[in-house]
Amino acid sequence: MRRGLLILGALVTAAAAMAQSVGLVLSGGGAKGIAHIGVIQALEDNEIPIDYVAGTSMGAIVGGLYAAGFTPEEMMQMLMSKDFSDWSTGVINENLTYYFDRKQPTPAMVKLNFVSDDSVKVKLDLLPSSLISPLPMNFGFLELFTPYTAQCGGNFDRLFVPFRCVASDVFNKRKLVLGSGGLGEAIRASMSFPIVFKPQYINGLPIFDGGIYDNFPVDVMRSTFAPEFVLGVDVSSGSSKIDMNSLVDQVETMIIQDENVEIPDSVGIKMVLNLSEFGLLDFPKARAIYKIGYDRTIAIIDSIKGRVARRVPRQSRVFARELFKSRTPKVIFDSVSVQGAKNEKQNDYLRHLFMRGERDTLNVEQAKIAYYRAITSGKLKDFVPHAEYKPASRMFTLGFDAKVRDNVSAGVGGWLTSSTNSMMYLSLNYNTLNYHSFDASVDGWVGQSYYAGRLLARVAFNLPRPTELQIEAVTSKQKFYASDMLFYEDELPTFIINNDRYARLNAGFAMGRRSRLTVGLGYGYLHDRFYQSNVVDYSAVGHDEAHYKMWQARATFERNTLNHEIYPTSGSRLRVVAMGLRSSSDYEPWAAAEQLVCGNESWLQGELQWDKYASLHRHFALGFRTDVVASTRSLMSNYTATIVQATAFTPTPATANYFNPDFRSTSFVAAGVVPIWKVIDNLQVRTEFYAFAPFRRIEENTDHTPRYGKWLNHLSYMGEAAIVYNFPFASLSIYGNYLSYPKRNWNFGISFGLFFTAPRFLR
């Protein structure tokens, strides 16, 4: 009965279409094109028919979604979703990454690729081929539009509403009207704004945003569909000011054609929406933009009704849309192919990620998981999917064009700050992509207070549970000064010097998509040099020294979905570390009258770190952090030697170079809250408040020997406020913090870069 009603409704609508046809033309304009959805909603609310639709750029997205049977409400949900936000900004959703294959974060802000062909060339990746990574949108558009391409057989006349979009063939300097082929590919070509997005390739030619040659395709509508009435919506006009600080605005002004196309009264009506207060990328303001489109249409709806006598009752449109959607095939892939990698082994490995084990078919969700695993390692420049429908089997084939990064690369970066903790970073990397991928890197940190070097080699094995073997060797030196002055002060007395050298063999195992387990054996040599106080006469006394030789067995479980490694606003991180250690040590006081003290010890140590960030509102988030360390390690013979070796709680980059005894202990619990105001996408005002409680505080006797205080008898506090802007390659922070010890311990500063140091043996 219901199917009969659907067919009847479709027939009624089809018969009515012969009475008077209406074509809707939608201009480009970036986020301003969301107003098109408001226009469509107003037309549907007043039963105005939409028989054809043509669009450019954002008009192509809205028009294509409508042509695919999306309601205005569904379009708004899509454009306001996190998925679309990720696609349009090139952000890879942390919930989709394959954590086992993620590279360890480093301070590298610029990457150099070394390309070997007939000669050796060096290519600088500081300026990427596009501002926005194409990788998230690649699969997003495949997932979104593939079913409708299959349903219409690649003929856009057979969609819910016949559709055309306009793109630009810059090679032949002409516009390209797209009415067949892949719906997602056509729409994406129409919106591939130069510099912002990579071009789409059609018939081997790079195709860009249609606004270059035709941003308001009225002539396409008239010549292709010849409707009796044309309603054109222009959202690109009405902007008289250009933000010369915006690269996107500058490019738009230079290349987008402002032809001021008119629609004769005998043909239809042109609506010009003044959206000058909005920018091309103002997608977070979608509701306000939508309302302008809706309200403006309602304001002239009587004029439209006076020109269009025909009506499409709401129920008839619902019937027709449901009938169209009922014919949309479910996407199931029965084969996968990959081409374009450097060799057939790489092609075969990438294909294997999709068709693992005994799997004969895979659905869209399974294909998405495999796709994000393939791109997580960062070894692919691009990975372009395309699907082909086979009506006989109602199955799809899934193909990919892969572009693999070069094996050898270098990284340059660092951390520039107003404290003593500035450093430069250099790395040289070698990476392969295969069933048994091999990765190696040499990293170096150089600064006033921090020096480090690391050798890292990793071999991955293609087992049912992805597994790796890893060898790392690290040497690092951290200096703590008597006072924390600006980075260019280089004559400060050094209060403490930590030297940390170790080698470790690790085995890693994937624990699902978001977690990993690492077990390892290592040997370390730790050497501390220190004064007993930071208020001594440095010219009259010398350093005491402590030396430690340690064997270590270690297991680490990590689960991480944070959206930013330094300044996150969403996601969570869990890190659990368990260690068994055997150490021989000696302590050598500077005073010649005192004797060398030696000792041997075995102990257990564990740590649990948990971070969680919850979104309270589009502009507000709240984070929580817990850090618990427990150790059976004994106190040493000297208080300062003990406190130098004790684990430090330094929750922010700004506190990492503070030596504060009140926030150090062999065992402690620390917790904090992190309220965040997300002003705009990349700008946040971040506040952090922490409490630190040692299980038993390490206290000093009059003879400089250490003792434990009472259980949970001491509480320390710290707080920090910062204005943070996250660039794609680094972060800028202006901060101020306060620590409860010593009194009036206020600190202010500014920092820029990426703060990641070499790993430590005991953390």
Side-chain angles (χ1 to χ4, degrees), residues 360-534:
D360 295 322
T361 63
L362 70 163
N363 57 33
V364 171
E365 190 61 28
Q366 292 169 327
K368 180 192 292 187
I369 290 171
Y371 174 83
Y372 276 90
R373 178 178 177 186
I375 68 174
T376 292
S377 67
K379 298 177 182 179
L380 292 173
K381 291 181 183 178
D382 208 351
F383 199 38
V384 182
H386 46 84
E388 183 178 343
Y389 184 56
K390 297 177 290 186
S393 63
R394 296 184 63 82
M395 293 281 188
F396 292 77
T397 60
L398 178 60
F400 287 93
D401 296 319
K403 291 185 179 180
V404 181
R405 293 190 184 277
D406 305 302
N407 290 348
V408 181
S409 65
V412 180
W415 181 252
L416 182 65
T417 178
S418 53
S419 75
T420 59
N421 214 26
S422 295
M423 64 188 78
M424 290 184 60
Y425 170 82
L426 298 170
S427 70
L428 183 64
N429 312 286
Y430 181 82
N431 303 286
T432 65
L433 180 70
N434 215 318
Y435 283 99
H436 304 299
S437 296
F438 174 74
D439 302 318
S441 65
V442 180
D443 308 76
W445 291 258
V446 179
Q448 178 187 349
S449 63
Y450 183 77
Y451 306 85
R454 179 179 64 174
L455 297 174
L456 185 66
R458 170 186 180 268
V459 179
F461 299 95
N462 185 47
L463 301 175
R465 180 181 298 279
T467 302
E468 68 177 17
L469 282 180
Q470 183 187 93
I471 298 175
E472 63 175 339
V474 176
T475 178
S476 64
K477 177 185 288 187
Q478 175 76 59
K479 297 180 180 180
F480 297 97
Y481 293 93
S483 60
D484 188 33
M485 302 294 289
L486 295 178
F487 66 92
Y488 52 78
E489 297 284 349
D490 58 3
E491 296 181 357
L492 298 172
T494 305
F495 173 46
I496 292 170
I497 300 177
N498 280 138
N499 290 278
D500 195 343
R501 301 170 188 169
Y502 73 87
R504 191 155 53 207
L505 175 65
N506 297 317
F509 309 92
M511 307 296 288
R513 288 191 294 118
R514 304 172 189 172
S515 308
R516 63 175 292 148
L517 174 67
T518 305
V519 295
L521 295 173
Y523 175 79
Y525 170 70
L526 282 61
H527 174 209
D528 298 333
R529 299 178 65 200
F530 49 88
Y531 293 99
Q532 291 296 326
S533 169
N534 65 342

Side-chain angles (χ1 to χ4, degrees), residues 230-352:
V230 174
L231 176 62
V233 186
D234 185 356
V235 300
S236 64
S237 301
S239 180
S240 58
K241 57 182 180 180
I242 303 168
D243 183 0
M244 295 310 295
N245 294 317
S246 168
L247 178 61
V248 175
D249 279 6
Q250 294 178 52
V251 174
E252 180 193 23
T253 303
M254 288 187 289
I255 69 173
I256 299 300
Q257 298 291 325
D258 186 10
E259 300 173 291
N260 195 26
V261 176
E262 296 297 334
I263 300 177
D265 289 342
S266 60
V267 173
I269 295 175
K270 177 182 179 180
M271 294 175 56
V272 178
L273 303 183
N274 188 345
L275 297 160
S276 58
E277 62 183 291
F278 302 102
L280 287 175
L281 303 179
D282 272 342
F283 289 98
K285 301 177 181 177
R287 283 294 177 192
I289 298 171
Y290 166 92
K291 188 175 186 301
I292 290 174
Y294 185 88
D295 291 346
R296 175 60 179 153
T297 308
I298 292 299
I300 66 166
I301 199 67
D302 289 339
S303 298
I304 297 173
K305 288 181 176 180
R307 301 288 299 275
V308 180
R310 174 173 145 243
R311 300 288 179 267
V312 177
R314 177 183 177 279
Q315 198 59 42
S316 295
R317 183 179 279 115
V318 170
F319 283 160
R321 186 175 275 127
E322 288 187 5
L323 177 60
F324 176 82
K325 290 182 177 181
S326 70
R327 294 173 175 169
T328 306
K330 184 178 181 181
V331 179
I332 300 293
F333 302 105
D334 64 358
S335 63
V336 178
S337 63
V338 179
Q339 63 179 13
K342 294 182 178 180
N343 54 59
E344 282 305 312
K345 285 186 177 180
Q346 290 183 342
N347 287 334
D348 190 58
Y349 167 71
L350 291 169
R351 188 202 69 82
H352 168 75

Side-chain angles (χ1 to χ4, degrees), residues 490-621:
D490 58 3
E491 296 181 357
L492 298 172
T494 305
F495 173 46
I496 292 170
I497 300 177
N498 280 138
N499 290 278
D500 195 343
R501 301 170 188 169
Y502 73 87
R504 191 155 53 207
L505 175 65
N506 297 317
F509 309 92
M511 307 296 288
R513 288 191 294 118
R514 304 172 189 172
S515 308
R516 63 175 292 148
L517 174 67
T518 305
V519 295
L521 295 173
Y523 175 79
Y525 170 70
L526 282 61
H527 174 209
D528 298 333
R529 299 178 65 200
F530 49 88
Y531 293 99
Q532 291 296 326
S533 169
N534 65 342
V535 294
V536 299
D537 181 358
Y538 293 98
S539 63
V541 298
H543 284 99
D544 291 4
E545 295 191 20
H547 307 264
Y548 309 89
K549 298 176 182 179
M550 301 182 184
W551 288 96
Q552 177 193 77
R554 173 190 180 108
T556 305
F557 175 83
E558 298 171 283
R559 178 182 176 88
N560 191 334
T561 61
L562 295 179
N563 66 339
H564 196 277
E565 287 292 339
I566 306 177
Y567 301 111
T569 59
S570 67
S572 64
R573 172 175 55 194
L574 174 65
R575 184 171 182 267
V576 182
V577 183
M579 291 183 282
L581 297 111
R582 175 66 179 172
S583 170
S584 62
S585 62
D586 58 74
Y587 168 57
E588 185 176 356
W590 170 76
E594 299 186 45
Q595 300 298 314
L596 183 71
V597 180
C598 302
N600 296 298
E601 183 182 13
S602 298
W603 78 92
L604 300 176
Q605 182 170 314
E607 181 171 8
L608 183 149
Q609 292 179 330
W610 181 72
D611 300 81
K612 173 67 177 178
Y613 290 83
S615 178
L616 305 180
H617 181 269
R618 184 165 63 89
H619 289 295
F620 295 96

Side-chain angles (χ1 to χ4, degrees), residues 673-685:
V673 294
V674 187
I676 303 167
W677 175 29
K678 298 180 288 184
V679 183
I680 55 177
D681 282 349
N682 296 318
L683 178 65
Q684 56 179 272
V685 177

